Amino acid sequence: MNFKGKNIKLILSVDATDEYNLIKNIVEDELRREVSSSIHQSIFRSIERVKIWLKENPFAGDQIRKGQIPKHYIQKYGVNNLWRIELSNYWRLIYTIKSDELEIIVFVLDISDHKKYDELFGY
């Protein structure tokens, strides 16, 4: 995908990958058991939809003010910008954007439920 002439690359952190795979495995198990609708399936579909949106427009989420960026993300990833996009069932996808002349990298830091999100941001 391109955005303003730059290639867009979406990368998940280890933490985000672990959460994504956990939800994906639950959904696959539910589908094997012929469960046709669940909270996990709704969350998984919303993650997949958001991944497409971010490849089309990395600025699709809500930007977090610099003063509100949790120290955890600054220390662990060295971020200087942070974005949030809402998923279904009050889940959140947290990401940062890095760019150079050729590409934009959307780096997904976390996929979290509302409780974890509130804890990370001190709410």
Side-chain angles (χ1 to χ4, degrees), residues 42-43 45-51 53-54 60-62 64 83-95 111-112 114 117:
S42 175
I43 294 165
R45 280 191 307 272
S46 69
I47 293 168
E48 291 300 300
R49 188 171 41 251
V50 163
K51 285 169 53 181
W53 291 349
L54 291 174
D62 301 314
I64 307 296
W83 299 74
R84 174 200 80 206
I85 197 159
E86 295 181 6
L87 303 171
S88 65
N89 297 87
Y90 302 103
W91 279 60
R92 304 287 189 267
L93 187 142
I94 309 298
Y95 66 100
I111 299 169
S112 66
H114 202 274
Y117 173 82

Side-chain angles (χ1 to χ4, degrees), residues 15 69-79 109-110 116 120:
D15 293 338
I69 297 174
K71 289 183 177 158
H72 164 77
Y73 293 125
I74 295 169
Q75 293 168 348
K76 188 169 184 176
Y77 300 106
V79 302
L109 307 175
D110 266 317
K116 180 181 173 187
L120 282 167

Side-chain angles (χ1 to χ4, degrees), residues 21 64 70 81-82 95 101:
N21 287 336
I64 307 296
N81 67 77
L82 197 65
Y95 66 100
E101 296 81 34

Side-chain angles (χ1 to χ4, degrees), residues 26-38 41:
I26 291 170
V27 168
E28 288 172 349
D29 180 60
E30 288 175 344
L31 294 174
R32 276 192 296 277
R33 293 183 290 117
E34 299 182 11
V35 175
S36 61
S37 180
S38 74
Q41 291 172 29

